[in-house]
């Protein structure tokens, strides 16, 4: 959590954190600013000091609302720098950063770089800045980010926001279940009151609407995939597909707070009307592994231990897994879960090669999502809940919802 | 437009474009893939050739839907590379890129880098890749991007999508106007049927809901700012603020297609019930400049010419502008407009230092948004429409909506 940042900076020998980009849909900036209508900013946090937010003049009120120490970027007179740089914006911006960093006395230190921004601009900018400030070292990495490590554990007020998104999510899931079960069945497909078949595209529109009604955003879309599509973990579902009885539907929903804040992540697998024996048998395997793993979660344990355990359990039931065959696309083919917060997917990781720090530290919020996929048999299933590792080490599902496979239909 | 890319690559001596990141809310990747549930991918487009999309195995169906040439990233066996790299994900990913680029015979060329991704990871990754592939040159820039230049002009099918967003936007604006004018007034503020005052936060929730009902997303929020907040161009408005009669409301709305596609951008300024003389006079100045500029737009002209012209017109009416005083926060304080597409703000630019290519080339879609701001007098106003420069050079506002200042109230 935030209170760990200085210690983690110290451990990583990082003197400052530099975050760039907007405040919305940019997790690192959101983490410090709490969002807001800030389109371009730079935030610098020195070890042991408060963060400073450099903002555009037009956004001074929004910057002030963050409660951070603020500095108006207009102090750095970009137009004059642009004249000096013969109109080259990259060079002018490099000069501005030089001044800003010098003003903060950051000239001979390691600086960790963050922010969801354009790759080419950023690479050009920081390569050039590195050249003119050779004693400054910009660091970043694909897996050992100190900020992601800090964010891997949450303060209770963050957990409450995630829980609130969980309640919204499960309310909408309930609405979808009610909506589906209130339709009629004709020739094995759901039809609406007007006799026309219901499509997955229509269901997804309802999902977006019901999320918006509750003040949530859905920036990454929803997986609502039936039959063969359900057999591929990240197939989102075809809008024109119909809702056939007796086929598996994987419904994976991961909305966030309006303005790009905290996410929730949740999956249920449904069969409309009835489940064929083959589906029922597979579902029981997933359900058993889900229950078993949920019961075995222990605070402070290394997350990949549970991935290994899930593989053992599935293999004992005769399913191939990515541990028995790294390339398999049938059986259990993905990671058991992941951390959740301002990103849908964040630390701690459960994958085999996760770092030693990827543990169920109290304060972690993680998903647990075992699944089985048999695309060649036209089926797939997954059960996912989001779990908070409480300060006392107990595990708590943040928004409970029934695990039933079959959605009973009228006259099916 | 897309058909310009090879020519622009040639002019920039760029042999390949490399795009990284997800397909949603990532304009460069969206431009090639058309969106889709793709969370991590790499796209490579060589000059004169079709783009190739490297995708995760779990996302093979979503990748196939793009219609692009696809390659499964599992061919590159990340786990083996990770073992070689002692578990260091950055080094393993560098090795994977080395192989991918070598497979495409890209080893001694200039490569332009794109994608909205994490800055630190990207800087570390491409700095390391640059070191092991010294004959490859990764280029990027803050203003001369060839892809942004290609995207500055739109194909008609892109314009139709922007127009559709414009129709949705103006329908929602109309709904907001109807909603406000159907409330009662009590002591100079709008009150709901239950007698409670209406807040800006409630209005914004309605806006999000009505956008979602029409299948639009609102990832960057809405500016709905009254009084003093309206006097600061990018103040988004306070959720708890009340709707007072006779005060300026700046309503700037910029939603996009679901899944992170094309945006629209639109602003009106409203006074509820009546406009004080001072507001009316300022509004007439903005309205006159808006009409004048709209009438003077000419295809192929350099965009900053119109910014210069707007400044002259406002100065002739006695207002300070950023041309008369670069630091002014009163009067006309921002740029006249900007291009619009997969970003709310993109080329062509209207600012003074825009490049010679920033012209009203047929196919451009731009906003025109003159405004006046007097925060010390508690008021600000802006009028904004989105204009398509048609292939024949004619200008067309993509979604017309009345420019009226006063929203008449019942019994005000």
């Amino acid at each position: 959590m935030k209170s760990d940042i200085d210690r983690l900076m110290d451990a990583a020998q990082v003197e400052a954190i530099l975050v760039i980009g907007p405040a919305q849909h940019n997790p690192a900036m959101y983490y410090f600013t709490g969002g807001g209508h800030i389109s371009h900013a730079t935030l610098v946090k020195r070890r042991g000091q408060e963060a400073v937010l450099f903002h555009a003049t037009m956004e001074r009120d929004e910057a002030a609302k963050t409660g951070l120490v603020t500095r108006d970027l207009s102090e750095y007179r970009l137009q004059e720098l642009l004249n000096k740089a013969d109109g080259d914006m990259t060079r002018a911006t490099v000069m501005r950063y030089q001044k800003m960093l010098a003003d903060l006395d950051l000239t001979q230190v390691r600086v960790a770089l963050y922010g969801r921004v354009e790759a080419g601009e950023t690479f050009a900018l920081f390569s050039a800045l590195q050249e003119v400030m050779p004693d400054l070292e910009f660091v970043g990495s694909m897996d050992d980010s100190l900020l992601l490590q800090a964010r891997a554990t949450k303060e209770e007020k963050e957990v409450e926001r995630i829980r609130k998104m969980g309640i919204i999510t499960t309310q909408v899931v309930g609405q979808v279940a009610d909506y589906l079960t209130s339709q009629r069945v004709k020739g094995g497909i759901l039809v609406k009151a007007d006799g026309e078949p219901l499509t997955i595209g229509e269901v997804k529109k309802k999902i977006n609407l019901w999320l918006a009604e509750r003040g949530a955003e859905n920036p990454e879309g929803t997986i609502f995939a039936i039959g063969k599509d359900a057999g591929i973990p990240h197939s989102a579902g075809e809008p024109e597909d119909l809702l056939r009885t007796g086929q598996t539907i994987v419904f994976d929903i991961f909305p966030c707070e309006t303005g790009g804040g905290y996410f929730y992540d949740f999956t249920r697998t449904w069969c409309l009307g009835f489940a064929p024996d083959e589906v029922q048998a597979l579902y029981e395997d997933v359900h058993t592994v889900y229950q078993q793993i949920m019961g075995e979660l222990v605070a402070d344990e290394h997350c990949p231990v549970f991935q290994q355990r899930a593989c053992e359990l599935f293999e004992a039931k005769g399913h191939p897994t990515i541990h028995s065959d790294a390339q398999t696309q049938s059986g259990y083919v993905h990671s058991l879960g992941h951390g959740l917060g301002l990103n849908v997917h964040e630390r701690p990781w459960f994958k085999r090669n996760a770092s030693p720090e990827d543990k169920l530290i109290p304060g972690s919020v993680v998903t647990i999502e075992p699944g089985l996929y048999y695309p060649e048999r036209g089926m797939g299933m997954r059960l996912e809940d989001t779990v908070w590792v409480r300060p006392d080490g107990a595990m708590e599902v943040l928004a409970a919802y029934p695990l039933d496979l079959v959605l009973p239909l009228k006259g099916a």
Side-chain angles (χ1 to χ4, degrees), chain A:
Chain A
M1 49 193 81
K2 267 192 192 145
S3 54
D4 298 318
I5 293 178
D6 285 321
R7 181 180 54 76
L8 291 165
M9 289 175 78
D10 194 49
Q13 295 181 283
V14 159
E15 179 55 34
I17 286 174
L18 181 70
V19 189
I20 54 179
Q24 298 187 325
H25 296 287
N26 182 9
M29 190 64 96
Y30 192 105
Y31 194 57
F32 287 103
T33 63
H37 193 79
I38 296 169
S39 58
H40 286 91
T42 293
L43 179 139
V44 182
K45 189 211 148 9
R46 277 196 82 126
R47 186 160 30 142
Q49 294 183 17
E50 293 296 310
V52 179
L53 183 68
F54 295 83
H55 62 86
T57 304
M58 289 210 300
E59 297 176 341
R60 59 192 181 277
D61 267 20
E62 295 293 317
K65 281 185 207 169
T66 64
L68 298 169
V69 179
T70 60
R71 296 278 294 264
D72 194 320
L73 276 171
S74 68
E75 287 175 34
Y76 294 92
R77 300 185 178 260
L78 187 63
Q79 189 56 52
E80 288 171 22
L81 299 175
L82 259 172
N83 294 343
K84 266 197 208 169
D86 301 322
D88 180 329
M89 183 61 86
T90 307
R91 276 174 55 209
T93 308
V94 164
M95 287 191 249
R96 187 167 71 176
Y97 269 114
Q98 254 189 300
K99 286 193 180 193
M100 287 159 60
L101 293 169
D103 279 359
L104 295 171
D105 201 24
L106 290 170
T107 52
Q108 298 191 312
V109 292
R110 276 161 66 88
V111 177
L113 190 58
Y114 294 96
R116 193 180 288 167
V117 289
E118 272 298 323
E121 293 183 15
T122 307
F123 182 67
L125 180 61
F126 286 92
S127 298
L129 189 55
Q130 184 73 92
E131 243 169 72
V132 296
M133 299 186 84
D135 296 332
L136 211 61
E137 187 189 353
F138 291 106
V139 296
S141 121
M142 295 193 72
D143 39 17
D144 272 329
S145 151
L146 71 94
L147 198 52
L148 284 177
Q149 206 173 321
R151 284 169 44 199
T153 52
K154 274 80 181 172
E155 296 170 21
E156 296 209 14
K157 65 184 178 188
E158 295 176 273
V159 176
E160 287 317 308
R161 291 173 65 172
I162 298 170
R163 187 200 299 276
K164 205 173 149 198
M165 284 308 303
I167 292 166
I168 290 172
T169 301
T170 48
Q171 283 172 343
V172 170
V173 170
Q175 259 182 301
V176 175
D178 289 347
Y179 179 70
L180 296 179
T181 55
S182 69
Q183 309 301 319
R184 286 184 305 127
V185 186
K186 203 172 142 185
I189 61 170
L190 291 199
V191 295
K192 296 172 290 186
D194 64 3
E196 289 298 305
L198 183 66
T199 65
I200 283 185
E202 289 172 286
V203 174
K204 286 196 175 184
K205 272 189 195 156
K206 297 274 181 199
I207 293 168
N208 285 339
L209 180 61
W210 291 332
L211 287 169
E213 278 179 352
R214 292 177 164 78
E217 271 188 60
N218 200 21
E220 309 199 14
T222 304
I223 292 176
F224 196 96
I226 189 163
K228 183 186 160 295
D229 281 351
I232 300 178
H234 276 196
S235 279
E238 292 290 345
E240 61 279 9
D241 267 5
L242 306 183
L243 290 130
R244 294 178 191 284
T245 56
Q247 294 207 344
T248 55
I249 295 170
V250 170
F251 179 16
D252 189 346
I253 176 170
F254 31 93
C256 74
E257 295 173 304
T258 294
Y262 289 88
F263 280 86
Y264 200 74
D265 197 359
F266 178 93
T267 307
R268 286 296 179 268
T269 300
W270 287 338
C271 269
L272 294 169
F274 67 97
D277 292 347
E278 185 185 10
V279 169
Q280 187 69 48
L282 282 182
Y283 181 80
E284 276 163 27
D285 288 352
V286 173
H287 186 234
T288 306
V289 172
Y290 168 97
Q291 298 287 16
Q292 185 90 25
I293 293 283
M294 282 290 191
E296 293 183 9
L297 295 177
V298 175
D300 293 315
E301 182 59 273
H302 192 208
C303 296
V305 165
F306 303 106
Q307 167 70 351
Q308 176 67 36
R309 179 70 177 140
C311 288
E312 285 166 15
L313 291 168
F314 278 122
E315 285 166 26
K317 292 175 188 300
H319 301 289
T321 75
I322 42 172
H323 278 198
S324 59
D325 169 9
Q327 306 294 318
T328 187
Q329 295 312 317
S330 295
Y332 176 57
V333 303
H334 55 63
S335 177
L336 180 66
H338 51 81
L340 171 92
L342 292 170
N343 282 318
V344 193
H345 303 99
E346 60 182 41
R347 293 180 74 173
W349 302 120
F350 283 70
K351 58 190 174 188
R352 191 178 212 164
N353 49 44
S355 84
E357 286 82 27
D358 288 305
K359 295 189 294 188
L360 289 183
I361 301 169
S364 305
V365 175
V366 300
T367 69
I368 297 294
E369 46 179 312
L372 284 173
Y373 306 89
Y374 287 98
E376 67 285 4
R377 287 150 67 184
M379 60 186 67
M381 55 201 64
R382 177 163 72 251
L383 289 173
E384 174 182 36
D385 275 306
T386 295
V387 174
W388 174 34
V389 186
R390 297 176 55 100
D392 63 2
M395 303 293 151
E396 181 181 339
V397 170
L398 285 174
Y401 191 89
L403 294 159
D404 303 325
L405 171 64
V406 175
L407 288 191
L409 296 173
K410 289 185 281 197

